Amino acid sequence: PVEFAEGDSFTLTLTTSGGEYTKKVTLPAGRKLTLSQGDLSTFTVDFSGIAPNQNEELYKVGDLYRENGVVKGFIFAIKEDNNGNKWCYVVSKDEEFLQWSTENYNCNCHSKVGAYNTNDPFNYWGRDINNYPAFKWCKEYGDGWFLPSSTELNGLWSAITDGENDFKAESVEMFNVLLIANGGDPFEETFYMSSNETRESLIEVVTFSADKGVCLDPQKSSKFDVRAAYRFKI
């Protein structure tokens, strides 16, 4: 039981699957708040514009990732970049079978940074995204989502197999149960499309099967399974 009068302050911490948020609340003039033992007391605090606390312990590989309360995927890696920043990498719970593109142009794509690959052809080179079905689907999956690079896909392959690089690993089934329970598509032995190109008409795809992820060079017009990725700094 506690009572707050005008001018009194308290700190409220909100913990969600997307992070931990903290806000100090000061009661304005003419307002009070009473919390009584055994009674339901309700009040509203606006958390809009409040950034999540920088607490990396809140995140771990395998955690579900939600946007506006909806499960969009799960965290598959936590990595540090060259500037010392730490990033959580998320893979979509859904996948599609799509073409890389319906045209052949050099798009200046890189093997490590899927987010760059997904935006550069359209922001810098002026390509029409409607001619790039895989990129379009990933961008429409949500704000900031992208078609992962081969390096990022190999990181995903290592994560779902718990480093064994074998589709028979017990962890594959664990992630598939998680995906199915949340309305997603389970992982199967297949080829996943990356955002990398190797030539004007060729791309890299990564094999999710026994042994290890291997990059192959098919035509951009070929169709392969696609999963979107997302990353956020912690």
Side-chain angles (χ1 to χ4, degrees):
V2 63
E3 182 169 310
F4 297 96
E6 62 179 67
D8 287 344
S9 299
F10 61 91
T11 299
L12 187 65
T13 299
L14 175 67
T15 302
T16 76
S17 62
E20 184 181 81
Y21 302 79
T22 302
K23 184 173 183 179
K24 182 178 180 180
V25 179
T26 300
L27 294 186
R31 300 296 297 274
K32 67 177 182 177
L33 175 65
T34 302
L35 304 178
S36 302
Q37 184 174 353
D39 290 338
L40 177 63
S41 303
T42 62
F43 59 96
T44 300
V45 176
D46 184 5
F47 273 84
S48 61
I50 302 297
N53 300 335
Q54 301 300 303
N55 184 358
E56 61 188 80
E57 294 180 358
L58 290 174
Y59 308 102
K60 63 181 183 298
V61 172
D63 281 351
L64 291 173
Y65 174 77
R66 294 176 171 85
E67 291 181 357
N68 298 320
V70 178
V71 174
K72 301 282 285 188
F74 66 86
I75 296 172
F76 70 88
I78 299 175
K79 296 184 178 182
E80 186 172 323
D81 63 22
N82 294 332
N83 296 318
N85 299 312
K86 284 194 174 181
W87 298 83
C88 277
Y89 284 82
V90 180
V91 64
S92 63
K93 68 183 179 70
D94 307 305
E95 64 178 50
E96 286 290 334
F97 191 66
L98 299 165
Q99 288 176 288
W100 201 92
S101 70
T102 60
E103 60 184 16
N104 294 328
Y105 287 99
N106 285 321
C107 296
N108 195 27
C109 294
H110 298 273
S111 63
K112 294 184 178 180
V113 190
Y116 175 86
N117 294 346
T118 302
N119 293 298
D120 193 56
F122 317 107
N123 295 344
Y124 182 79
W125 294 99
R127 303 263 65 90
D128 182 355
I129 196 169
N130 292 305
N131 295 328
Y132 294 76
F135 291 89
K136 183 178 181 181
W137 182 79
C138 290
K139 288 172 73 70
E140 290 179 346
Y141 198 79
D143 186 31
W145 287 78
F146 57 88
L147 181 61
S149 68
S150 58
T151 299
E152 291 160 342
L153 283 173
N154 274 311
L156 171 61
W157 170 239
S158 180
I160 67 170
T161 62
D162 197 22
E164 295 184 28
N165 292 331
D166 188 335
F167 204 83
K168 296 179 181 179
E170 291 183 4
S171 56
V172 177
E173 180 61 22
M174 178 189 73
F175 281 113
N176 281 345
V177 168
L178 181 70
L179 288 168
I180 293 171
N182 288 279
D185 299 313
F187 289 104
E188 298 179 351
E189 292 190 66
T190 188
F191 302 96
Y192 280 103
M193 179 185 295
S194 82
S195 55
N196 310 3
E197 63 182 0
T198 56
R199 292 185 183 179
E200 186 177 83
S201 61
L202 302 179
I203 60 170
E204 285 188 333
V205 297
V206 177
T207 306
F208 277 39
S209 64
D211 191 22
K212 62 180 180 179
V214 178
C215 294
L216 306 175
D217 297 319
Q219 295 287 326
K220 288 181 175 180
S221 58
S222 303
K223 286 187 175 183
F224 292 96
D225 287 312
V226 174
R227 285 194 186 253
Y230 178 77
R231 70 174 192 164
F232 59 95
K233 188 165 63 173
I234 57 175

PDB file of all heavy atoms in Angstrom, residues 50-72:
ATOM      1  N   ILE A  50      10.308   6.148 -25.657  1.00  0.00           N
ATOM      2  CA  ILE A  50      11.291   5.665 -24.690  1.00  0.00           C
ATOM      3  C   ILE A  50      12.103   4.542 -25.331  1.00  0.00           C
ATOM      4  O   ILE A  50      11.545   3.536 -25.768  1.00  0.00           O
ATOM      5  CB  ILE A  50      10.623   5.157 -23.402  1.00  0.00           C
ATOM      6  CG1 ILE A  50       9.775   6.270 -22.772  1.00  0.00           C
ATOM      7  CG2 ILE A  50      11.669   4.654 -22.416  1.00  0.00           C
ATOM      8  CD1 ILE A  50      10.570   7.476 -22.342  1.00  0.00           C
ATOM      9  N   ALA A  51      13.421   4.700 -25.414  1.00  0.00           N
ATOM     10  CA  ALA A  51      14.290   3.682 -26.003  1.00  0.00           C
ATOM     11  C   ALA A  51      14.510   2.552 -24.998  1.00  0.00           C
ATOM     12  O   ALA A  51      14.488   2.775 -23.783  1.00  0.00           O
ATOM     13  CB  ALA A  51      15.629   4.294 -26.402  1.00  0.00           C
ATOM     14  N   PRO A  52      14.719   1.329 -25.482  1.00  0.00           N
ATOM     15  CA  PRO A  52      14.975   0.209 -24.557  1.00  0.00           C
ATOM     16  C   PRO A  52      16.298   0.388 -23.832  1.00  0.00           C
ATOM     17  O   PRO A  52      17.244   0.988 -24.359  1.00  0.00           O
ATOM     18  CB  PRO A  52      15.010  -1.009 -25.490  1.00  0.00           C
ATOM     19  CG  PRO A  52      15.355  -0.460 -26.826  1.00  0.00           C
ATOM     20  CD  PRO A  52      14.730   0.893 -26.886  1.00  0.00           C
ATOM     21  N   ASN A  53      16.366  -0.119 -22.607  1.00  0.00           N
ATOM     22  CA  ASN A  53      17.618  -0.088 -21.854  1.00  0.00           C
ATOM     23  C   ASN A  53      18.667  -0.926 -22.572  1.00  0.00           C
ATOM     24  O   ASN A  53      18.352  -1.950 -23.178  1.00  0.00           O
ATOM     25  CB  ASN A  53      17.400  -0.641 -20.440  1.00  0.00           C
ATOM     26  CG  ASN A  53      16.385   0.165 -19.664  1.00  0.00           C
ATOM     27  OD1 ASN A  53      16.175   1.349 -19.931  1.00  0.00           O
ATOM     28  ND2 ASN A  53      15.722  -0.467 -18.706  1.00  0.00           N
ATOM     29  N   GLN A  54      19.908  -0.475 -22.518  1.00  0.00           N
ATOM     30  CA  GLN A  54      20.992  -1.204 -23.172  1.00  0.00           C
ATOM     31  C   GLN A  54      21.463  -2.318 -22.247  1.00  0.00           C
ATOM     32  O   GLN A  54      22.496  -2.225 -21.594  1.00  0.00           O
ATOM     33  CB  GLN A  54      22.136  -0.250 -23.523  1.00  0.00           C
ATOM     34  CG  GLN A  54      21.717   0.868 -24.448  1.00  0.00           C
ATOM     35  CD  GLN A  54      21.175   0.340 -25.768  1.00  0.00           C
ATOM     36  OE1 GLN A  54      21.856  -0.392 -26.476  1.00  0.00           O
ATOM     37  NE2 GLN A  54      19.958   0.705 -26.103  1.00  0.00           N
ATOM     38  N   ASN A  55      20.715  -3.395 -22.199  1.00  0.00           N
ATOM     39  CA  ASN A  55      21.022  -4.523 -21.321  1.00  0.00           C
ATOM     40  C   ASN A  55      21.060  -5.790 -22.154  1.00  0.00           C
ATOM     41  O   ASN A  55      20.042  -6.402 -22.435  1.00  0.00           O
ATOM     42  CB  ASN A  55      19.966  -4.628 -20.213  1.00  0.00           C
ATOM     43  CG  ASN A  55      20.300  -5.723 -19.212  1.00  0.00           C
ATOM     44  OD1 ASN A  55      21.293  -6.438 -19.360  1.00  0.00           O
ATOM     45  ND2 ASN A  55      19.472  -5.852 -18.186  1.00  0.00           N
ATOM     46  N   GLU A  56      22.267  -6.172 -22.552  1.00  0.00           N
ATOM     47  CA  GLU A  56      22.390  -7.312 -23.452  1.00  0.00           C
ATOM     48  C   GLU A  56      21.977  -8.618 -22.794  1.00  0.00           C
ATOM     49  O   GLU A  56      21.696  -9.602 -23.477  1.00  0.00           O
ATOM     50  CB  GLU A  56      23.818  -7.431 -23.964  1.00  0.00           C
ATOM     51  CG  GLU A  56      24.856  -7.656 -22.892  1.00  0.00           C
ATOM     52  CD  GLU A  56      26.266  -7.580 -23.455  1.00  0.00           C
ATOM     53  OE1 GLU A  56      26.770  -6.471 -23.650  1.00  0.00           O
ATOM     54  OE2 GLU A  56      26.840  -8.650 -23.692  1.00  0.00           O
ATOM     55  N   GLU A  57      21.914  -8.658 -21.455  1.00  0.00           N
ATOM     56  CA  GLU A  57      21.515  -9.887 -20.777  1.00  0.00           C
ATOM     57  C   GLU A  57      20.043 -10.216 -21.032  1.00  0.00           C
ATOM     58  O   GLU A  57      19.592 -11.327 -20.765  1.00  0.00           O
ATOM     59  CB  GLU A  57      21.773  -9.761 -19.271  1.00  0.00           C
ATOM     60  CG  GLU A  57      23.250  -9.646 -18.920  1.00  0.00           C
ATOM     61  CD  GLU A  57      23.480  -9.518 -17.433  1.00  0.00           C
ATOM     62  OE1 GLU A  57      22.481  -9.482 -16.688  1.00  0.00           O
ATOM     63  OE2 GLU A  57      24.650  -9.453 -17.015  1.00  0.00           O
ATOM     64  N   LEU A  58      19.283  -9.244 -21.554  1.00  0.00           N
ATOM     65  CA  LEU A  58      17.877  -9.495 -21.850  1.00  0.00           C
ATOM     66  C   LEU A  58      17.702 -10.377 -23.079  1.00  0.00           C
ATOM     67  O   LEU A  58      16.624 -10.917 -23.309  1.00  0.00           O
ATOM     68  CB  LEU A  58      17.150  -8.167 -22.090  1.00  0.00           C
ATOM     69  CG  LEU A  58      16.939  -7.266 -20.880  1.00  0.00           C
ATOM     70  CD1 LEU A  58      16.353  -5.945 -21.323  1.00  0.00           C
ATOM     71  CD2 LEU A  58      16.031  -7.928 -19.860  1.00  0.00           C
ATOM     72  N   TYR A  59      18.757 -10.526 -23.882  1.00  0.00           N
ATOM     73  CA  TYR A  59      18.630 -11.211 -25.156  1.00  0.00           C
ATOM     74  C   TYR A  59      19.526 -12.441 -25.203  1.00  0.00           C
ATOM     75  O   TYR A  59      20.653 -12.412 -24.716  1.00  0.00           O
ATOM     76  CB  TYR A  59      19.006 -10.264 -26.300  1.00  0.00           C
ATOM     77  CG  TYR A  59      18.275  -8.948 -26.257  1.00  0.00           C
ATOM     78  CD1 TYR A  59      18.905  -7.797 -25.781  1.00  0.00           C
ATOM     79  CD2 TYR A  59      16.954  -8.848 -26.671  1.00  0.00           C
ATOM     80  CE1 TYR A  59      18.236  -6.586 -25.729  1.00  0.00           C
ATOM     81  CE2 TYR A  59      16.270  -7.643 -26.620  1.00  0.00           C
ATOM     82  CZ  TYR A  59      16.915  -6.519 -26.153  1.00  0.00           C
ATOM     83  OH  TYR A  59      16.249  -5.331 -26.093  1.00  0.00           O
ATOM     84  N   LYS A  60      19.026 -13.498 -25.835  1.00  0.00           N
ATOM     85  CA  LYS A  60      19.843 -14.685 -26.055  1.00  0.00           C
ATOM     86  C   LYS A  60      19.347 -15.403 -27.297  1.00  0.00           C
ATOM     87  O   LYS A  60      18.199 -15.236 -27.733  1.00  0.00           O
ATOM     88  CB  LYS A  60      19.790 -15.619 -24.841  1.00  0.00           C
ATOM     89  CG  LYS A  60      18.439 -16.211 -24.510  1.00  0.00           C
ATOM     90  CD  LYS A  60      18.529 -17.094 -23.280  1.00  0.00           C
ATOM     91  CE  LYS A  60      17.190 -17.759 -22.962  1.00  0.00           C
ATOM     92  NZ  LYS A  60      16.143 -16.799 -22.647  1.00  0.00           N
ATOM     93  N   VAL A  61      20.237 -16.188 -27.892  1.00  0.00           N
ATOM     94  CA  VAL A  61      19.886 -16.951 -29.086  1.00  0.00           C
ATOM     95  C   VAL A  61      18.720 -17.879 -28.778  1.00  0.00           C
ATOM     96  O   VAL A  61      18.698 -18.573 -27.755  1.00  0.00           O
ATOM     97  CB  VAL A  61      21.108 -17.758 -29.575  1.00  0.00           C
ATOM     98  CG1 VAL A  61      20.707 -18.710 -30.690  1.00  0.00           C
ATOM     99  CG2 VAL A  61      22.195 -16.814 -30.064  1.00  0.00           C
ATOM    100  N   GLY A  62      17.738 -17.885 -29.663  1.00  0.00           N
ATOM    101  CA  GLY A  62      16.551 -18.720 -29.471  1.00  0.00           C
ATOM    102  C   GLY A  62      15.354 -17.966 -28.936  1.00  0.00           C
ATOM    103  O   GLY A  62      14.236 -18.482 -28.963  1.00  0.00           O
ATOM    104  N   ASP A  63      15.571 -16.712 -28.457  1.00  0.00           N
ATOM    105  CA  ASP A  63      14.445 -15.909 -27.977  1.00  0.00           C
ATOM    106  C   ASP A  63      13.534 -15.518 -29.138  1.00  0.00           C
ATOM    107  O   ASP A  63      14.007 -15.191 -30.230  1.00  0.00           O
ATOM    108  CB  ASP A  63      14.943 -14.620 -27.309  1.00  0.00           C
ATOM    109  CG  ASP A  63      15.451 -14.848 -25.896  1.00  0.00           C
ATOM    110  OD1 ASP A  63      15.259 -15.955 -25.369  1.00  0.00           O
ATOM    111  OD2 ASP A  63      16.043 -13.911 -25.329  1.00  0.00           O
ATOM    112  N   LEU A  64      12.234 -15.527 -28.886  1.00  0.00           N
ATOM    113  CA  LEU A  64      11.286 -15.037 -29.878  1.00  0.00           C
ATOM    114  C   LEU A  64      11.429 -13.525 -30.030  1.00  0.00           C
ATOM    115  O   LEU A  64      11.726 -12.822 -29.059  1.00  0.00           O
ATOM    116  CB  LEU A  64       9.853 -15.376 -29.468  1.00  0.00           C
ATOM    117  CG  LEU A  64       9.466 -16.858 -29.495  1.00  0.00           C
ATOM    118  CD1 LEU A  64       8.074 -17.044 -28.909  1.00  0.00           C
ATOM    119  CD2 LEU A  64       9.511 -17.405 -30.921  1.00  0.00           C
ATOM    120  N   TYR A  65      11.205 -13.044 -31.247  1.00  0.00           N
ATOM    121  CA  TYR A  65      11.235 -11.610 -31.507  1.00  0.00           C
ATOM    122  C   TYR A  65       9.841 -11.186 -31.956  1.00  0.00           C
ATOM    123  O   TYR A  65       9.282 -11.770 -32.891  1.00  0.00           O
ATOM    124  CB  TYR A  65      12.263 -11.264 -32.584  1.00  0.00           C
ATOM    125  CG  TYR A  65      12.227  -9.811 -32.992  1.00  0.00           C
ATOM    126  CD1 TYR A  65      12.785  -8.836 -32.180  1.00  0.00           C
ATOM    127  CD2 TYR A  65      11.602  -9.422 -34.171  1.00  0.00           C
ATOM    128  CE1 TYR A  65      12.737  -7.487 -32.538  1.00  0.00           C
ATOM    129  CE2 TYR A  65      11.547  -8.084 -34.541  1.00  0.00           C
ATOM    130  CZ  TYR A  65      12.112  -7.124 -33.725  1.00  0.00           C
ATOM    131  OH  TYR A  65      12.043  -5.809 -34.079  1.00  0.00           O
ATOM    132  N   ARG A  66       9.284 -10.149 -31.298  1.00  0.00           N
ATOM    133  CA  ARG A  66       7.939  -9.675 -31.600  1.00  0.00           C
ATOM    134  C   ARG A  66       7.962  -8.228 -32.072  1.00  0.00           C
ATOM    135  O   ARG A  66       8.803  -7.445 -31.642  1.00  0.00           O
ATOM    136  CB  ARG A  66       7.030  -9.788 -30.374  1.00  0.00           C
ATOM    137  CG  ARG A  66       6.742 -11.210 -29.920  1.00  0.00           C
ATOM    138  CD  ARG A  66       5.904 -11.205 -28.645  1.00  0.00           C
ATOM    139  NE  ARG A  66       5.431 -12.522 -28.271  1.00  0.00           N
ATOM    140  CZ  ARG A  66       6.138 -13.389 -27.559  1.00  0.00           C
ATOM    141  NH1 ARG A  66       7.351 -13.058 -27.140  1.00  0.00           N
ATOM    142  NH2 ARG A  66       5.651 -14.572 -27.263  1.00  0.00           N
ATOM    143  N   GLU A  67       7.020  -7.906 -32.939  1.00  0.00           N
ATOM    144  CA  GLU A  67       6.762  -6.528 -33.327  1.00  0.00           C
ATOM    145  C   GLU A  67       5.284  -6.256 -33.108  1.00  0.00           C
ATOM    146  O   GLU A  67       4.446  -6.968 -33.645  1.00  0.00           O
ATOM    147  CB  GLU A  67       7.144  -6.293 -34.793  1.00  0.00           C
ATOM    148  CG  GLU A  67       8.644  -6.338 -35.046  1.00  0.00           C
ATOM    149  CD  GLU A  67       9.007  -6.086 -36.495  1.00  0.00           C
ATOM    150  OE1 GLU A  67       8.084  -5.925 -37.323  1.00  0.00           O
ATOM    151  OE2 GLU A  67      10.208  -6.055 -36.810  1.00  0.00           O
ATOM    152  N   ASN A  68       4.990  -5.259 -32.273  1.00  0.00           N
ATOM    153  CA  ASN A  68       3.610  -4.918 -31.922  1.00  0.00           C
ATOM    154  C   ASN A  68       2.863  -6.141 -31.384  1.00  0.00           C
ATOM    155  O   ASN A  68       1.693  -6.350 -31.678  1.00  0.00           O
ATOM    156  CB  ASN A  68       2.880  -4.345 -33.137  1.00  0.00           C
ATOM    157  CG  ASN A  68       3.498  -3.056 -33.638  1.00  0.00           C
ATOM    158  OD1 ASN A  68       3.903  -2.206 -32.842  1.00  0.00           O
ATOM    159  ND2 ASN A  68       3.596  -2.909 -34.949  1.00  0.00           N
ATOM    160  N   GLY A  69       3.578  -6.945 -30.593  1.00  0.00           N
ATOM    161  CA  GLY A  69       2.975  -8.095 -29.956  1.00  0.00           C
ATOM    162  C   GLY A  69       2.875  -9.336 -30.824  1.00  0.00           C
ATOM    163  O   GLY A  69       2.441 -10.381 -30.356  1.00  0.00           O
ATOM    164  N   VAL A  70       3.286  -9.243 -32.093  1.00  0.00           N
ATOM    165  CA  VAL A  70       3.184 -10.365 -33.028  1.00  0.00           C
ATOM    166  C   VAL A  70       4.556 -11.002 -33.208  1.00  0.00           C
ATOM    167  O   VAL A  70       5.545 -10.307 -33.472  1.00  0.00           O
ATOM    168  CB  VAL A  70       2.646  -9.899 -34.395  1.00  0.00           C
ATOM    169  CG1 VAL A  70       2.593 -11.059 -35.374  1.00  0.00           C
ATOM    170  CG2 VAL A  70       1.265  -9.275 -34.226  1.00  0.00           C
ATOM    171  N   VAL A  71       4.640 -12.329 -33.066  1.00  0.00           N
ATOM    172  CA  VAL A  71       5.902 -13.035 -33.260  1.00  0.00           C
ATOM    173  C   VAL A  71       6.291 -12.961 -34.732  1.00  0.00           C
ATOM    174  O   VAL A  71       5.551 -13.391 -35.611  1.00  0.00           O
ATOM    175  CB  VAL A  71       5.797 -14.507 -32.814  1.00  0.00           C
ATOM    176  CG1 VAL A  71       7.086 -15.255 -33.159  1.00  0.00           C
ATOM    177  CG2 VAL A  71       5.531 -14.597 -31.320  1.00  0.00           C
ATOM    178  N   LYS A  72       7.478 -12.404 -34.992  1.00  0.00           N
ATOM    179  CA  LYS A  72       7.975 -12.287 -36.365  1.00  0.00           C
ATOM    180  C   LYS A  72       9.128 -13.241 -36.654  1.00  0.00           C
ATOM    181  O   LYS A  72       9.432 -13.525 -37.814  1.00  0.00           O
ATOM    182  CB  LYS A  72       8.451 -10.855 -36.620  1.00  0.00           C
ATOM    183  CG  LYS A  72       7.375  -9.795 -36.431  1.00  0.00           C
ATOM    184  CD  LYS A  72       6.439  -9.751 -37.617  1.00  0.00           C
ATOM    185  CE  LYS A  72       7.076  -9.090 -38.801  1.00  0.00           C
ATOM    186  NZ  LYS A  72       6.130  -8.871 -39.924  1.00  0.00           N
TER     187      LYS A  72
END
